[in-house]
Amino acid sequence: MALINISNLTKEYGNHRVLDNVSLTIEENKIYGLLGRNGAGKTTLLNLITNRIFSSGGKVTIDNEDVVENSNVLGKIYFMTEQDLYPEGMKIKDLFKWTKEFYSNFNMDYALSLSNKFGLNVNKKFKELSTGYSSICKIIITLSSGAEVLLFDEPVLGLDANHRDMFYKELVANYIDKPKTIVLSTHIIEEVSEILEKVIIIKNGEVLGNNEVENLLGEAYLVSGSSERVEEYIKGKKCINIDSMAGFKAATIIGKINDENKMQITDLQLETSKVELQKLFIHLTGEEEVK
Amino acid sequence: MALINISNLTKEYGNHRVLDNVSLTIEENKIYGLLGRNGAGKTTLLNLITNRIFSSGGKVTIDNEDVVENSNVLGKIYFMTEQDLYPEGMKIKDLFKWTKEFYSNFNMDYALSLSNKFGLNVNKKFKELSTGYSSICKIIITLSSGAEVLLFDEPVLGLDANHRDMFYKELVANYIDKPKTIVLSTHIIEEVSEILEKVIIIKNGEVLGNNEVENLLGEAYLVSGSSERVEEYIKGKKCINIDSMAGFKAATIIGKINDENKMQITDLQLETSKVELQKLFIHLTGEEEVK
């Protein structure tokens, strides 16, 4: 098992509070999305969970043990960071061996087979890789680490659509093979919405919600049909997005569909469907400020 | 107007042929997607169109004038590159002024209003910006340039979902305000599929197609319903992707729906819908090789 408990966690840099009194439970063996805008505090939270930075208050435990300077607990987690913390000038195959020294369950055969699948040349040096292949290399090490908790920070940066698709499929296969606690922090939300069970949304250093994806998506719906009828329907309702195309509109409405709505939808000959997680996220985390 | 004509364009680096005899017309005042996997040759093509590198053969004309060392023609194009080619240490507001010296139609008011909208602090230095804000700054300069041709290479790298959404809306508003030739090279395909009119697909340095998005999407369809019935339907058909969820499947099939298919779809109580551009792209450009 590997249950992560975060209580009253705060992180300040000077006068700037990056994380504000965050309390959160990350249940074992589920796939979480960690969603938030740039600068919301996602990476800070992941850095605190893995004891890479000091908190200004509060604490993180994994299976009830404090993570601070606790190598036993930290060995249960592999964190794929945006930063490259690998030794300079190392070849990828040596990077695999090097990782195995810290993560004894590292699966070398799996790492090599994934490298082949993704077209990663293990004889290259890590620093020679493009942005996309650098992400792929880090993905492979994380998936092969054998850790009970895998944290991914922007794993698909620079990946083309084919490689992103392969990554999502590989992640699910890995999870099915041996369930583990997975946290995916990503900006490409819609693509991962089907593999996430729960979603943690962070806004301005605070947790907006920690919900089942199904529950979250149940808080809104999509209604579509001819433009005038959709316009008629949305009057007086909380519409957060409209997509238009040649006389046709699709509107995202906050709320649940009650009986009155149902009748109106039938009368206006509209269709309803599930809302997109990414559109809901944009609504929940919106509003611009000059930074 | 601004019509781009590319004939028999080839680019080699040593023995490696990055672009292989590409011929292509980019029509004026349309929004194009330039799609291809990492390393397919997209950036090389854009660099050749803007005369930033020498070709190994073939030529590019804009409005029938050769682009090579032709500042008159090159002044019609603004190219948002992944590389940062701005003078060191310049503040963003000074970068705007600097751009106006080369692009006399640069719209300073628009650039400042976009900066405010996106939360970009114009008193910061360009090199101090995060990946996301560096993309935003380059997007703003490109949109404000006043050029007749806007080329975007990976414009949304590092942008969160909200900022990507704002960019797409701003791009469409800019185009509607004054139609121009726009080429978007991006890996986040599904999100832009609704704003593209045509799509150029490059694979291994060759052009796979230059089509209307509608025509391309007409070459495949999605069929969904209960798992067993979808499995029954796809027998003997060219299925390129299956998404599964709790007893439900959605399969992407290559081909058009003929009368026989229609009957089968009705019999099996399946639903059909439009295919996703990104899934079709993954299929068209698939196959891994070790690089």
Side-chain angles (χ1 to χ4, degrees), chain A residues 92-110:
Chain A
I92 291 148
K93 59 181 179 188
D94 296 323
L95 216 47
F96 291 170
K97 288 180 199 154
W98 181 76
T99 306
K100 196 169 169 62
E101 290 183 26
F102 302 94
Y103 290 87
S104 56
N105 293 325
F106 185 88
N107 186 335
M108 188 63 76
D109 290 343
Y110 180 47

Side-chain angles (χ1 to χ4, degrees), chain A residues 183-223:
Chain A
V183 180
L184 270 178
S185 173
T186 181
H187 288 311
I188 317 296
I189 299 170
E190 199 47 39
E191 292 181 355
V192 295
S193 70
E194 298 222 334
I195 63 177
L196 303 178
E197 287 174 80
K198 296 193 82 171
V199 165
I200 298 162
I201 299 182
I202 297 195
K203 183 177 178 178
N204 300 331
E206 295 180 49
V207 172
L208 262 193
N210 179 5
N211 290 305
E212 306 284 332
V213 173
E214 282 306 307
N215 293 347
L216 190 64
L217 293 181
E219 289 170 20
Y221 61 99
L222 195 76
V223 63

Side-chain angles (χ1 to χ4, degrees), chain A residues 19-291:
Chain A
L19 273 190
D20 192 5
N21 203 33
V22 166
S23 293
L24 197 63
T25 298
I26 299 178
E27 298 165 48
E28 66 214 78
N29 301 347
K30 289 200 169 170
I31 304 182
Y32 279 76
L34 175 61
L35 309 182
R37 302 210 44 189
N38 274 327
K42 304 183 300 295
T43 302
T44 302
L45 178 61
L46 295 173
N47 276 326
L48 285 166
I49 291 175
T50 52
N51 191 38
R52 294 190 187 214
I53 55 174
F54 297 111
S55 78
S56 311
K59 71 169 180 176
V60 179
T61 63
I62 293 180
D63 297 339
N64 297 315
E65 287 191 65
D66 199 315
V67 297
V68 175
E69 287 171 30
N70 186 334
S71 61
N72 174 40
V73 161
L74 292 170
K76 295 184 179 182
I77 309 186
Y78 197 95
F79 179 21
M80 172 186 168
T81 50
E82 274 201 271
Q83 295 150 299
D84 305 327
L85 301 168
Y86 301 126
E88 273 283 310
M90 222 182 226
K91 284 187 180 172
I92 291 148
K93 59 181 179 188
D94 296 323
L95 216 47
F96 291 170
K97 288 180 199 154
W98 181 76
T99 306
K100 196 169 169 62
E101 290 183 26
F102 302 94
Y103 290 87
S104 56
N105 293 325
F106 185 88
N107 186 335
M108 188 63 76
D109 290 343
Y110 180 47
L112 292 172
S113 115
L114 286 178
S115 302
N116 191 44
K117 222 170 185 173
F118 279 91
L120 173 70
N121 182 343
V122 298
N123 290 311
K124 271 201 175 175
K125 288 183 180 163
F126 181 78
K127 63 171 183 181
E128 294 169 356
L129 300 176
S130 63
T131 309
Y133 269 99
S134 152
S135 293
I136 286 170
C137 179
K138 293 191 282 180
I139 282 172
I140 290 173
I141 293 175
T142 310
L143 288 175
S144 309
S145 67
E148 295 170 49
V149 181
L150 307 183
L151 309 179
F152 292 91
D153 197 7
E154 286 301 325
V156 299
L157 193 75
L159 261 61
D160 60 35
N162 308 51
H163 278 148
R164 295 202 304 279
D165 191 52
M166 283 172 67
F167 165 57
Y168 304 138
K169 287 182 172 146
E170 210 53 58
L171 184 73
V172 169
N174 182 297
Y175 174 81
I176 289 172
D177 183 52
K178 185 159 187 266
K180 48 189 69 80
T181 308
I182 295 175
V183 180
L184 270 178
S185 173
T186 181
H187 288 311
I188 317 296
I189 299 170
E190 199 47 39
E191 292 181 355
V192 295
S193 70
E194 298 222 334
I195 63 177
L196 303 178
E197 287 174 80
K198 296 193 82 171
V199 165
I200 298 162
I201 299 182
I202 297 195
K203 183 177 178 178
N204 300 331
E206 295 180 49
V207 172
L208 262 193
N210 179 5
N211 290 305
E212 306 284 332
V213 173
E214 282 306 307
N215 293 347
L216 190 64
L217 293 181
E219 289 170 20
Y221 61 99
L222 195 76
V223 63
S224 58
S226 79
S227 294
E228 316 85 66
R229 287 171 172 178
V230 170
E231 287 293 344
E232 175 63 29
Y233 181 76
I234 64 178
K235 275 181 195 158
K237 296 191 180 68
K238 191 163 182 190
C239 172
I240 58 164
N241 185 69
I242 296 186
D243 290 324
S244 310
M245 206 168 58
F248 174 91
K249 276 188 178 163
T252 306
I253 316 276
I254 296 291
K256 291 189 191 299
I257 304 180
N258 60 27
D259 288 343
E260 194 189 330
N261 299 149
K262 270 186 200 155
M263 275 177 55
Q264 206 188 351
I265 286 165
T266 311
D267 285 353
L268 291 168
Q269 296 174 284
L270 300 175
E271 303 268 344
T272 56
S273 52
K274 251 174 61 172
V275 72
E276 289 178 16
L277 180 60
Q278 183 161 300
K279 291 211 168 103
L280 195 56
F281 168 84
I282 291 172
H283 163 67
L284 293 170
T285 60
E287 291 161 342
E288 287 303 314
E289 307 159 78
V290 172
K291 275 167 211 160

Side-chain angles (χ1 to χ4, degrees), chain B residues 84-281:
Chain B
D84 305 327
L85 302 167
Y86 302 128
E88 272 284 309
M90 221 182 227
K91 284 187 180 171
I92 290 147
K93 61 181 179 187
D94 296 321
L95 217 47
F96 291 170
K97 289 179 198 152
W98 181 77
T99 306
K100 196 168 169 61
E101 289 183 27
F102 302 94
Y103 290 86
S104 56
N105 293 325
F106 184 89
N107 187 337
M108 187 63 76
D109 291 343
Y110 181 47
L112 293 172
S113 114
L114 285 178
S115 302
N116 191 45
K117 224 170 183 172
F118 279 91
L120 174 69
N121 182 344
V122 298
N123 290 311
K124 271 201 175 175
K125 288 182 180 165
F126 181 79
K127 63 170 183 181
E128 293 168 357
L129 301 177
S130 63
T131 309
Y133 270 99
S134 151
S135 294
I136 286 170
C137 180
K138 293 191 282 180
I139 281 172
I140 291 173
I141 293 176
T142 310
L143 287 174
S144 309
S145 67
E148 295 170 47
V149 181
L150 307 183
L151 308 178
F152 292 91
D153 197 8
E154 286 302 324
V156 299
L157 193 75
L159 261 62
D160 61 34
N162 307 53
H163 278 148
R164 295 202 304 279
D165 190 53
M166 283 173 67
F167 165 56
Y168 305 137
K169 287 183 171 143
E170 210 54 58
L171 184 73
V172 169
N174 182 298
Y175 174 81
I176 288 171
D177 183 52
K178 186 159 186 266
K180 47 188 70 81
T181 307
I182 295 174
V183 180
L184 270 178
S185 174
T186 181
H187 288 310
I188 317 296
I189 299 170
E190 200 47 39
E191 292 180 356
V192 295
S193 69
E194 298 222 335
I195 63 176
L196 303 178
E197 287 174 79
K198 297 193 83 171
V199 165
I200 298 162
I201 298 182
I202 296 196
K203 183 176 179 178
N204 301 331
E206 295 180 48
V207 172
L208 263 194
N210 180 4
N211 290 305
E212 307 283 332
V213 173
E214 283 305 308
N215 292 346
L216 190 64
L217 294 181
E219 289 172 20
Y221 61 98
L222 195 76
V223 64
S224 57
S226 79
S227 294
E228 316 83 67
R229 289 172 171 177
V230 169
E231 286 294 344
E232 174 63 30
Y233 181 77
I234 64 177
K235 276 181 195 157
K237 297 189 179 70
K238 190 163 183 191
C239 172
I240 57 164
N241 185 70
I242 297 186
D243 290 324
S244 310
M245 207 168 58
F248 174 90
K249 276 190 176 162
T252 306
I253 316 276
I254 296 292
K256 291 187 192 297
I257 304 180
N258 61 27
D259 288 343
E260 193 189 332
N261 299 148
K262 270 185 201 155
M263 275 176 54
Q264 208 187 350
I265 287 164
T266 312
D267 287 352
L268 292 168
Q269 295 174 283
L270 301 174
E271 303 268 343
T272 56
S273 52
K274 252 173 62 172
V275 72
E276 288 178 17
L277 180 60
Q278 184 161 300
K279 292 212 168 100
L280 194 57
F281 168 84

